[in-house]
Amino acid sequence: MQYASNSAAPIGDMMIVIGNATFGAGGGRIFMLVEAFTVFLALIGTTFLHEHRARVTYAMGKDKEVPDISVCFIPTT
């Protein structure tokens, strides 16, 4: 792990080392790629969530599902 400070992607390198120790030789790179894909999906999901959050919050405010204090943040138009 001494080379992690000189690496362009130290977290990926650490995942490769841990994956190789856990899954055997060559398993670290697959482990790193699976984790990177999982993070990518989480970013896409978060983006979609925030695109529709205002509409969902507005609907919840209209249905009285949120406290009255949060209604002041919802536009009335």
Side-chain angles (χ1 to χ4, degrees), residues 15 29-47:
M15 289 175 65
R29 184 159 175 81
I30 295 170
F31 176 65
M32 180 196 62
L33 292 174
V34 168
E35 289 296 319
F37 183 69
T38 304
V39 169
F40 175 73
L41 289 179
L43 289 172
I44 297 295
T46 303
T47 301

Side-chain angles (χ1 to χ4, degrees), residues 52-63 66 70 73-74:
H52 301 291
R53 185 183 63 171
R55 185 170 31 177
V56 171
T57 305
Y58 176 76
M60 288 176 67
K62 292 293 270 186
D63 292 342
V66 293
S70 61
F73 300 116
I74 301 172

Side-chain angles (χ1 to χ4, degrees), residues 4 7 16 19 31 33-36 49 57 65 68-69 74-75 77:
S7 174
I16 290 173
F31 176 65
L33 292 174
V34 168
E35 289 296 319
L49 172 73
T57 305
E65 295 290 328
D68 290 336
I69 188 67
I74 301 172
T77 59

Side-chain angles (χ1 to χ4, degrees), residues 2-3 7 19 24-25 29 45 47 57 64 71-72:
Q2 296 173 353
Y3 61 91
S7 174
R29 184 159 175 81
T47 301
T57 305
K64 304 292 185 197
V71 176
C72 64

